[in-house]
Amino acid sequence: MVRDIAESRCVPVVTDSKAAAQITDEVDVLLIGAGIMSATLGSMLKQLEPDWTQMVLERLDGPAEESSSPWNNAGTGHSALCELNYTPEVNGKIQTSKALAVNEKFQISRQFWAYLIENNLLEDPRDFIRPVPHVSFAQGADQIAYLRKRFEALHNHPLFPDMKFTDDRDEFANFLPLMAKGRDFDANPVAISWTDAGTDINYGALTKQFLAVAKSHGAEIRYGHEVTNISHFGDQWKVEAKNVHTGDTKVIKANFVFVGAGGMALPLLQKAGIPEIRGFGGFPVSGQWLRCTNEELIEQHNAKVYGKASVGAPPMSVPHLDTRVIDGKTGLLFGPYAGWTPKFLKQGSYFDLIKSLRPTNVMSLLSVGIQEMGLTKYLIEELLKDQEARMESLREYMPSARSEDWELVTAGQRVQVIKPVVGPRFGSLEFGTALINNSVGSIAGILGASPGASIAPAVMLELLERCFGDHMVEWGEKIKEMVPSYGIKLATRPDLFHEQWDRTQTILQLTDKSK
C-alpha cells in the first residue's frame, strides 16, 4: 500500500472530531467474515507483518458457518484432477489451460498449509485434509470418447501424477462397487479416469484452526457482529458493525479492509462506494445434497466421482458421488441439486438480491437473464424435482440406490458473479472466483464461488501483489519460505513440482491411506 499501514493499533480511540466521534476502535487490518478467505489472509499477513493488528467481524456466532462449513461445500481439493468442466472440448481438442491454472493454484495451498504445520501454526492435518481418489466418470460412447481424449491430454503432465483410465467393467466394478451394482454395462457402457492423489478437505476445520492461532497471537474476533456500513474516513475506512444480540453499534477505523463475507461481499463493497464494483451484480444459486444414512453403503465407496454437467447447469452443480470425512467420520453425499432463492447467504435475507440492484448493474443482470436461458431452464427443472426425481439422478451413478437410504439436506448458498462488459451484451455470468480491490489497495473483497476455498492462498498472494505492492520486495524472502514455488509455474519445473509434492505429501500426512 502507499501509506504505512502499521501506524495504527487495535486500541480504543477517543477524539473530539465530530466526524469521528462514534469511532470506538482502530486497527491495521479489518477482516469481514470468519470464513476460509479471511482466515487465510489473516494468517498470511501475520507471518509477513506480525506487529500489524487484526480484527475479524462475523455476523454469526461462530466461525465457518456459511460457505466454509463442511456441509455447505463439496470439500474437494479442487486441482482439476477429476472436474470435467475445467477441460472443455473445443473443435475436437481438449482445452487444458484452465485445468493447469487451477492445479497450479492448489499446489500453492498445499505448500502454504505445509509451511504452517512445519511451524506449529496448524495442528494435526488429518483434522482437515484426507487422501481420497478423484475420479472422472463417463457414460455412453460420446462421453467415453471425450474422457479418453482428456486422459491422453493430461496423464503425462507432471501436475497430474499417476492418472489412470479404464473402460473395463470388471476393473470398474472392483474400484467402484456401489456404482457397478445393478448396472447394465451393455446398454450403457461406462469409463473412468482417476488418480489416488486427490484430497477431501474440511474447510470448516481448517478455518477454525487458522482463527484459533490468530486469536492466540493477538487478533480480536468479534462474533455476532454484522457490518452495516463501510465508508471513507480520510485515507482510511470507517466500518460500522451492529451487535446482533444487543443492538449496540461499534465503529472501527481501519487502514485496510478485506471483505471475505461470501455472498454478502457484493453489497458490502457497494456500500464502500469503490468505483471498481460498479456494474457488478450477483446471481444467487442454492443447493441441496442427498446424504447417505446407510453405514454399510458408506463403507463400500471411497472416491469423489465427478461426471458431466447437464446442459445449462452451472459448474458448481456438476453431479458427484462424494466421499466426505467430516470431524473424523466418513460420509457419502450425492448432488448438488440446484435451487434458487434471492438470499445471498444461507442465513441471509430474502431482500438481498433486490438490495444489490443499482442503476449501474441492472442492465448487466437483465442482459445475463436473456443470454442464460439454458441456466434458467435448468434451475426450473431442478426446482420441480421431487424425491423420486432426485433418486433417478442418483441412479445414473448408483443404479441400486434406494430412497430409504438417503436423506435430503440443504447445502450452502453461492452468488455467481455478473461482470460488466463493454459492448452489446452489457454483462456476463462468471462461474469462478473474482478478486476486487480499489485503486490504492486499501480495500478488497472476493466474489464468486468454485474453486474458491481450494485456491484461497493463491488468491491472497494476488491480493498482496495488488494491495501491498510496495511491501512485496521486503516480503519476498518470507513469501518464498511460505510458498517455495511463488513466481514459478510448476508446469515448467517438474523437478520443483516433484520436490514440493513429496514434501507436502509427507507433511500433510497424505502418503499413508490408513491414516
Side-chain angles (χ1 to χ4, degrees):
M1 296 173 65
V2 175
R3 60 187 173 279
D4 183 359
I5 195 170
E7 289 179 353
S8 63
R9 293 291 179 264
C10 183
V11 294
V13 174
V14 179
T15 175
D16 293 329
S17 168
K18 184 176 180 180
Q22 293 180 311
I23 293 176
T24 59
D25 300 276
E26 186 173 351
V27 67
D28 294 323
V29 176
L30 183 64
L31 306 166
I32 301 175
I36 188 62
M37 291 297 183
S38 291
T40 300
L41 178 59
S43 179
M44 201 169 279
L45 282 174
K46 182 57 68 175
Q47 291 301 298
L48 298 170
E49 292 289 347
D51 292 334
W52 288 2
T53 54
Q54 296 184 13
M55 180 185 291
V56 180
L57 298 175
E58 167 58 51
R59 63 192 291 269
L60 302 179
D61 289 329
E65 293 188 2
E66 275 283 351
S67 297
S68 300
S69 165
W71 292 116
N72 289 346
N73 63 54
T76 302
H78 283 295
S79 45
L81 298 176
C82 63
E83 305 93 321
L84 301 179
N85 54 295
Y86 293 139
T87 49
E89 183 176 7
V90 179
N91 298 324
K93 185 176 181 180
I94 302 298
Q95 306 297 306
T96 62
S97 58
K98 187 171 184 179
L100 294 177
V102 171
N103 194 305
E104 291 266 7
K105 291 177 180 179
F106 186 65
Q107 304 312 317
I108 291 174
S109 298
R110 290 172 58 112
Q111 293 171 55
F112 182 58
W113 300 335
Y115 162 82
L116 295 175
I117 291 169
E118 285 179 312
N119 289 273
N120 299 314
L121 296 170
L122 287 178
E123 298 176 0
D124 190 341
R126 291 172 296 180
D127 289 344
F128 67 86
I129 188 168
R130 298 276 182 141
V132 173
H134 282 198
V135 182
S136 300
F137 175 52
Q139 306 180 73
D142 290 343
Q143 287 191 17
I144 291 173
Y146 158 79
L147 188 61
R148 191 185 300 275
K149 285 193 284 188
R150 179 183 185 273
F151 170 75
E152 292 296 333
L154 292 174
H155 80 284
N156 286 325
H157 197 283
L159 300 188
F160 293 80
D162 301 321
M163 182 173 281
K164 305 175 183 68
F165 174 93
T166 187
D167 56 4
D168 179 84
R169 64 181 65 183
D170 292 332
E171 191 171 5
F172 179 95
N174 182 61
F175 186 29
L176 300 168
L178 280 188
M179 294 179 64
K181 185 178 180 181
R183 183 175 295 279
D184 187 343
F185 289 96
D186 293 322
N188 187 28
V190 298
I192 53 174
S193 68
W194 76 96
T195 173
D196 293 330
T199 52
D200 174 70
I201 301 174
N202 183 335
Y203 292 106
L206 179 58
T207 300
K208 291 174 182 177
Q209 287 198 28
F210 272 133
L211 293 177
V213 172
K215 187 173 182 180
S216 71
H217 285 78
E220 182 176 355
I221 305 174
R222 294 180 179 176
Y223 295 113
H225 280 74
E226 181 176 10
V227 173
T228 57
N229 196 39
I230 304 174
S231 58
H232 285 284
F233 186 79
D235 61 352
Q236 298 171 300
W237 293 96
K238 185 171 73 172
V239 177
E240 300 174 31
K242 181 180 71 174
N243 186 314
V244 299
H245 302 294
T246 67
D248 294 339
T249 297
K250 300 289 185 181
V251 183
I252 301 97
K253 184 171 71 172
N255 285 331
F256 175 78
V257 175
F258 174 70
V259 185
M264 287 306 291
L266 171 64
L268 288 177
L269 289 170
Q270 289 175 330
K271 287 179 182 292
I274 60 173
E276 290 79 7
I277 200 65
R278 289 173 60 88
F280 277 86
F283 184 80
V285 179
S286 61
Q288 296 176 313
W289 296 96
L290 285 176
R291 181 167 62 190
C292 187
T293 58
N294 187 325
E295 294 293 335
E296 293 183 4
L297 295 179
I298 294 171
E299 292 176 1
Q300 296 176 50
H301 187 83
N302 181 43
K304 290 179 176 291
V305 182
Y306 277 64
K308 276 276 202 179
S310 302
V311 175
M316 61 170 287
S317 297
V318 172
H320 40 106
L321 186 61
D322 196 355
T323 292
R324 297 299 314 277
V325 183
I326 297 175
D327 299 330
K329 182 177 176 59
T330 303
L332 183 61
L333 300 175
F334 179 78
Y337 298 94
W340 191 84
T341 166
K343 294 181 179 181
F344 277 7
L345 292 171
K346 189 174 180 179
Q347 301 185 52
S349 165
Y350 286 103
F351 296 100
D352 286 341
L353 177 58
I354 293 175
K355 289 180 179 179
S356 75
L357 297 179
R358 299 287 189 278
T360 59
N361 68 12
V362 169
M363 288 305 298
S364 295
L365 269 73
L366 291 176
S367 174
V368 166
I370 295 171
Q371 297 170 56
E372 300 289 342
M373 294 305 296
L375 174 59
T376 302
K377 179 176 180 292
Y378 165 78
L379 288 175
I380 292 173
E381 291 173 349
E382 288 286 289
L383 288 170
L384 293 176
K385 280 185 176 179
D386 56 15
Q387 178 67 3
E388 184 53 34
R390 297 187 191 98
M391 290 301 300
E392 284 303 311
S393 297
L394 169 58
R395 290 185 185 113
E396 292 183 16
Y397 286 67
M398 182 182 165
S400 62
R402 303 180 307 169
S403 182
E404 55 264 35
D405 293 327
W406 299 80
E407 63 181 0
L408 187 67
V409 295
T410 301
Q413 187 78 357
R414 302 290 186 270
V415 178
Q416 306 295 340
V417 181
I418 295 177
K419 296 179 67 174
V421 176
V422 177
R425 292 194 305 154
F426 292 104
S428 65
L429 188 64
E430 304 289 327
F431 298 107
T433 304
L435 171 64
I436 306 294
N437 61 275
N438 68 342
S439 60
V440 297
S442 62
I443 187 170
I446 300 292
L447 307 180
S450 182
S454 295
I455 63 168
V459 173
M460 296 313 152
L461 286 175
E462 182 182 352
L463 182 149
L464 295 181
E465 293 169 349
R466 290 195 195 181
C467 298
F468 300 89
D470 56 334
H471 288 277
M472 293 304 288
V473 172
E474 63 184 275
W475 289 349
E477 185 175 341
K478 187 67 176 181
I479 291 176
K480 290 289 285 186
E481 182 183 349
M482 294 190 294
V483 181
S485 71
Y486 176 67
I488 300 170
K489 285 191 176 297
L490 290 171
T492 66
R493 285 284 308 277
D495 58 328
L496 181 59
F497 168 75
H498 290 298
E499 174 189 317
Q500 291 303 315
W501 178 265
D502 292 342
R503 168 179 166 265
T504 57
Q505 282 286 99
T506 300
I507 295 171
L508 297 174
Q509 300 189 32
L510 297 172
T511 54
D512 184 353
K513 294 179 177 58
S514 68
K515 292 184 177 181

